[in-house]
Amino acid sequence: MTAHDSSLHRRSGLLGWLGLGAREPSDQQPAPVSIDRRQSSRDRHLDEIGGFLSYHQLEVNAQTLAIASNYLTGNDPDVVRLIDRRIQAREPVTLDWLEEALREQDASSEAKQLDRLMQRLEHGVEEFGQTSRAAREATSAYHSELSVKAGELEAVPTTGAVITELASITRAMLRRTVEIEKAMLRSEEQTRSLKHRLEETRRSAEEDHLTGLPNRRAFEALYQAEYRAARAAAEPLCVAFCDIDHFKRVNDTHGHDAGDRVLKLVAENLARISNERCHVARHGGEEFVVLFRAARVDDAFEKLDRLRAQLADRRLVNRATDLPIGQVTFSAGIADVFASGDRRLALKAADAALYRAKLDGRNRIMIAEPDEAKPPRIAA
């Protein structure tokens, strides 16, 4: 039985709350009218929403109704992923958790909007630079042409008043073109400086400041580009989610400074396998993502598992207190991107394999199974 199964609740549940439930039977024979399939589909959807809210013991309000609808229909992939991961971790889907998750989702959405704005601004600066260069080149050519004409006028043997005046005007125009050319050169320099600052801002916006790794936004752009390139070159592509085991325990016991040092240590270890064919990014919190280009699942597994074993052999000490932190490990799930159907499903499959590794004891790596790319179901 699943959360999508209408048997989790009675038909009259949410439909009854909304005044859409089935009517009491009547002795009168119904009129021979055709079934409104759209109404029936809507009723089923409301029924499923009621089951979802009832199963998770969520109150009925506009927010939870919208969340349940987006989850059940798949209209909001981010909401689907958040709730799926919560279910896989065997953690309750509560209203407090939903509100916090949605706040984080809104922050991510704002970051994407900022990224689009940056792209438009960079495009505008580039266009302005090209226009400025073209205008300066045209001015320079005009200046050269005027200079030649001025020389020809002054070389006329019987220079009259009219010719002298024309030569004077030409020389004045030459001086003006020089001024314009200098102004355009300054404009080009300012454009280059602005473009450089924009590039620095973009790099800063795409870097995780704690670990120095690319952040989630940078990874998503890279993942899309590598997906297209690998598909065009008929090369394998694998993606892995890595999550530090018992990280909350480190923060609670030793403080956030020690937690930050652990995050940096794991990031440094993961970065050791990073190259032009292997990309590592911090996906958020204590979670990292690794993209393996031109590597099959078994090869990716071997590289990541060797790194996991090397990290697990170390024993850490909190420098601030000299208290032992002990062993730091991570769990991971790996998925074959093209075997999963598409890159989004591959992320879901790797995420599901990661949580299977957590449930199986942590400090291990699991390879995604074919059906893990499908949406998970909730056991009754």
Side-chain angles (χ1 to χ4, degrees), residues 7 41 50 101 118 123 166 199 282 284 297-298 313 322 363:
S7 64
S41 175
M118 286 282 290
H123 181 67
L166 284 174
E199 289 172 352
R282 185 181 178 191
V297 172
D298 291 343
D313 284 341
D322 289 331
N363 189 23

Side-chain angles (χ1 to χ4, degrees), residues 117-130 198:
L117 179 61
M118 286 282 290
Q119 289 177 352
R120 288 168 55 191
L121 183 57
E122 287 175 344
H123 181 67
V125 169
E126 182 64 28
E127 282 191 342
F128 177 76
Q130 291 174 356
L198 283 173

